[in-house]
Structure formats: structure tokens, C-alpha cells
Amino acid sequence: MNKAAKGPLIPYVFWIILFVIAPIALIVYYSVLDLNGNFTLANYAKFFTPVYLKMTLSSFWYAFLITLFTLLFAYPTAYLLTKTKHKQLWLMLIIIPSWINLLLKTYAFIGIFGLYGPINAMIEVFGFDPKQILFTDFSFVFVSVYIFIPFMIIPIFNSLDKMNPSLIYASRDLGANAWTTFRRVIFPLTIDGVKSGIQVTFIPALSLFMITRLIAGNQVITLGTAIEQQFLVSQNWGMGSTIAVFLILFMVLTMLFTRQKSKGGRI
């Protein structure tokens, strides 16, 4: 590669070093320091204690539930969008709520799920007592799914929209029913969009902390919540950085697991 070709890469390399490599290196550095600034590996040993392992499994479980329900709602929605007349307009209407500040949407759900909110008002109409919907696993998963749905719909919609419809017609002409056509033709051809949607949903779901505080209260503890507590409450930057290091590793493993495999030029 000549110098003229390398020139445009310099800003990108500088950006990666400054905003990706340097922050990760700083996190790794703090992760091997104790409260007094001395070198130690105790933070890593502490991460493998039952308390933090249970918290890690809990984070993965909630991230899995959020991703699963988001996919179950997003895939049919994306499929129906591709069949509508003004699909780009409907897609834009779904994307627009994602432009609203996350904190504002979270506070909106606090009012909706509150004891005096519209949900409990509807419950009282049917003669039932108001229920505490906030600070539950249901409210946490519901709000998280609502927030991540647009990010799951977009890649799946793009994959479905690019798919050649003649392949579906050929499958039906060969005698395949609707389920077989979906299982053997539609889903395999849109798996890359599904993987991209899983990446942009599962990875952020692992590190949620604001929604866990405002919607779930202290009922749900995730890796993101633990990092926030270590940095802002306990002032233990070493332990907070250690959790962040493992969180980064989990994110990298997720990306590797859901990466798009090269077709190798074969049809």
C-alpha cells in the first residue's frame, strides 16, 4: 500500500487509538489496583466469588430474555412491514421513538406502570385492586424490550427486504407449506439480519443500569448496575474496572459468536 492510500487511514487509526484502545487500556490498568493504588490481582479473584458469579449469570439471563422477546416481536413486525404498501413510512414511525431520550421514556413508563397510572386505572375498571407493576422483573423486561425493538427490527427488515421473492414462490410451487418455507428458505436467508439484531440488543442489555434502577429498583442487579455502584457509591475503581473488563470480554465473545460468516463466493 502506497503513501497516498495510507493517508486517509490516519484519522481512523488515531480515532481507534484515542477512543477505543486507550480507554480499554485505562480500564485494564485500574483493574489491577486496590483502593490504595497498589498493584493487586485480588479484584479478579473477587470476581469469581459466588456473589459476582451469581450477578453475572443474572445479567446473562435477563439479557437473554430481553433479546428473545425482542426477536419474537421484531421478526413478525419486520416481515409485515415488507408486505405493506408504504413500508418505509411505517419503518420510520417505528424508528422515531428511538430518537427520544432514554431517560424521558423511562420516566414515562414510571407514570404508566405506577399505582395511579393508566394500567392500574384499567385494572380498577374491571373491579380488581391496583397492582405494584413497577420494581418487578416484568416491568424491567417489558421496558427493555420496548426500547430495543427498533434496533432489532431494522437489520431484520433490511434482510427481508433484500430477499428475492421468487425463492418463496419456488418453495411453495415445490410443495412446501408456509412453515417449511419459513424454516428452510426465509429464516436462513435472513439469519445475518437476525445476528446483527442480536448483537445490538444482547450486548447493551448486558450493561443496563439506568432502567434497572428506575424501573426495577433493587430487584434486578446486573453487571452495569454493579459497575455504577462500584464507581459512584463504593468509590472502588479497581473492582468497577475489573467488572468492566469481564463485560468487555463477554461483549467480544458475543460478537464472535454472532459474526456473519463469509460465503466464500459460492452461490
Side-chain angles (χ1 to χ4, degrees):
M1 185 181 294
N2 54 37
K3 294 183 179 180
K6 292 181 179 179
L9 293 177
I10 295 177
Y12 299 101
V13 172
F14 179 76
W15 179 276
I16 293 296
I17 293 175
L18 186 61
F19 295 106
V20 177
I21 297 177
I24 292 177
L26 193 61
I27 291 174
V28 174
Y29 169 74
Y30 277 110
S31 69
V32 293
L33 298 180
D34 59 14
L35 290 172
N36 298 319
N38 300 317
F39 176 82
T40 180
L41 295 177
N43 296 324
Y44 286 88
K46 188 177 180 180
F47 183 85
F48 290 98
T49 58
V51 174
Y52 287 96
L53 290 178
K54 182 180 179 181
M55 177 190 62
T56 302
L57 291 176
S58 176
S59 297
F60 271 89
W61 171 245
Y62 283 111
F64 169 76
L65 288 179
I66 292 168
T67 304
L68 176 63
F69 286 118
T70 303
L71 178 61
L72 291 177
F73 282 107
Y75 201 104
T77 303
Y79 182 80
L80 291 175
L81 283 176
T82 60
K83 302 300 181 183
T84 56
K85 185 177 181 181
H86 304 288
K87 53 187 176 183
Q88 298 297 338
L89 174 62
W90 288 108
L91 180 64
M92 184 184 68
L93 293 176
I94 292 175
I95 295 174
I96 284 177
S98 65
W99 299 349
I100 301 174
N101 184 272
L102 178 60
L103 185 61
L104 294 178
K105 289 189 287 187
T106 304
Y107 274 110
F109 274 103
I110 291 177
I112 292 173
F113 287 152
L115 286 175
Y116 303 100
I119 301 298
N120 273 309
M122 292 179 60
I123 292 176
E124 290 181 325
V125 169
F126 292 98
F128 297 99
D129 295 330
K131 303 293 183 180
Q132 178 58 271
I133 305 175
L134 279 176
F135 312 128
T136 61
D137 293 355
F138 168 79
S139 61
F140 170 65
V141 174
F142 184 92
V143 175
S144 300
V145 169
Y146 167 80
I147 289 171
F148 287 120
I149 272 184
F151 305 103
M152 180 74 79
I153 288 178
I154 293 173
I156 296 176
F157 173 85
N158 291 332
S159 296
L160 287 167
D161 198 41
K162 293 176 182 177
M163 188 174 60
N164 190 344
S166 63
L167 297 174
I168 300 176
Y169 301 146
S171 175
R172 301 305 297 268
D173 289 341
L174 292 173
N177 57 30
W179 169 245
T180 302
T181 300
F182 172 78
R183 184 170 57 89
R184 301 295 296 272
V185 179
I186 299 176
F187 189 77
L189 291 175
T190 58
I191 191 65
D192 287 342
V194 173
K195 288 181 178 180
S196 297
I198 290 174
Q199 285 184 1
V200 299
T201 301
F202 186 83
I203 292 176
L206 274 178
S207 56
L208 288 174
F209 70 93
M210 184 172 64
I211 297 177
T212 58
R213 291 296 190 192
L214 298 178
I215 300 295
N218 293 321
Q219 303 302 315
V220 176
I221 303 297
T222 64
L223 292 172
T225 310
I227 292 173
E228 178 203 22
Q229 184 175 8
Q230 293 293 337
F231 273 98
L232 301 182
V233 180
S234 302
Q235 295 292 311
N236 189 346
W237 287 28
M239 194 62 217
S241 298
T242 302
I243 301 173
V245 168
F246 282 100
L247 182 59
I248 293 172
L249 292 176
F250 296 148
M251 291 178 177
V252 171
L253 291 175
T254 302
M255 294 180 67
L256 292 176
F257 182 75
T258 57
R259 72 186 188 277
Q260 298 179 7
K261 297 181 179 180
S262 175
K263 301 295 189 301
R266 297 183 61 183
I267 300 177

